[in-house]
Amino acid sequence: MRFRTRTAFRAIAVAALTIAPLSSISPAAQADSAQPRVLKPTACDGKTKGHIVKWYTPHVPLARVPLRCGTENGFGFNKIRKKHWSPTVDEDIANTLARPTSDYEQDPNTRVFLLKDLAPCRGQYRVVVSYLDYGSTGIKGIITAYHEDLASAGARC
């Protein structure tokens, strides 16, 4: 079967890149991923930038997106902690990836997920995910995540 659009091919490629076969994950990591965890600001203390802090499951079936430690000015948990930290960051990321009100392709390797009209009058939450390869450990994952105030939300409140 021939794909008629590059969009269909990209969607399949993105899904294939984000599926983590269970055989490639250690039993300890599998047990750990089954336990819900709330992110703490100290989650990356002493860890490398490639260390995976948490896996998130977006609305795409069977796909998983990692949140790596990253760097303060580049990507991942350390960037979120430095620039956009809130006590609800873990819940906000999980909700946005699981139930986005919209999402779009920023470039061929990056997708932006939005959760709009946060109650009450809180604007929207944005999660940016990179599907670029990250060494032998899969995709880069979450680049950043943050709350955005919307001018139109202020008019309604």
Side-chain angles (χ1 to χ4, degrees):
M1 178 175 155
R2 268 182 69 204
F3 292 105
R4 295 183 182 179
T5 66
R6 292 194 323 181
T7 305
F9 177 76
R10 280 189 195 135
I12 292 169
V14 165
L17 279 174
T18 58
I19 294 175
L22 288 179
S23 62
S24 69
I25 302 171
S26 71
Q30 287 179 31
D32 190 39
S33 67
Q35 307 270 337
R37 273 192 309 204
V38 175
L39 294 178
K40 296 180 180 164
T42 57
C44 283
D45 289 356
K47 306 281 195 251
T48 65
K49 69 180 181 178
H51 174 77
I52 297 172
V53 179
K54 188 166 183 180
W55 287 95
Y56 290 93
T57 305
H59 67 287
V60 180
L62 303 176
R64 297 188 333 148
V65 176
L67 174 60
R68 297 177 185 277
C69 285
T71 62
E72 288 184 352
N73 295 316
F75 72 97
F77 179 83
N78 285 324
K79 179 178 182 179
I80 295 167
R81 182 181 66 187
K82 180 180 180 187
K83 297 182 178 184
H84 311 293
W85 184 258
S86 77
T88 61
V89 71
D90 185 30
E91 181 181 345
D92 293 337
I93 291 171
N95 287 338
T96 302
L97 290 176
R99 294 177 290 285
T101 50
S102 66
D103 61 286
Y104 63 90
E105 189 176 85
Q106 182 172 302
D107 61 50
N109 300 307
T110 308
R111 188 143 207 89
V112 177
F113 297 88
L114 300 169
L115 183 59
K116 296 182 180 182
D117 295 328
L118 299 173
C121 302
R122 289 186 50 214
Q124 68 184 10
Y125 203 80
R126 179 181 299 259
V127 178
V128 181
V129 177
S130 170
Y131 291 98
L132 287 172
D133 285 338
Y134 194 78
S136 63
T137 59
I139 64 169
K140 193 170 199 178
I142 297 171
I143 297 172
T144 192
Y146 55 93
H147 175 260
E148 293 179 306
D149 289 320
L150 300 176
S152 60
R156 290 191 310 251
C157 297

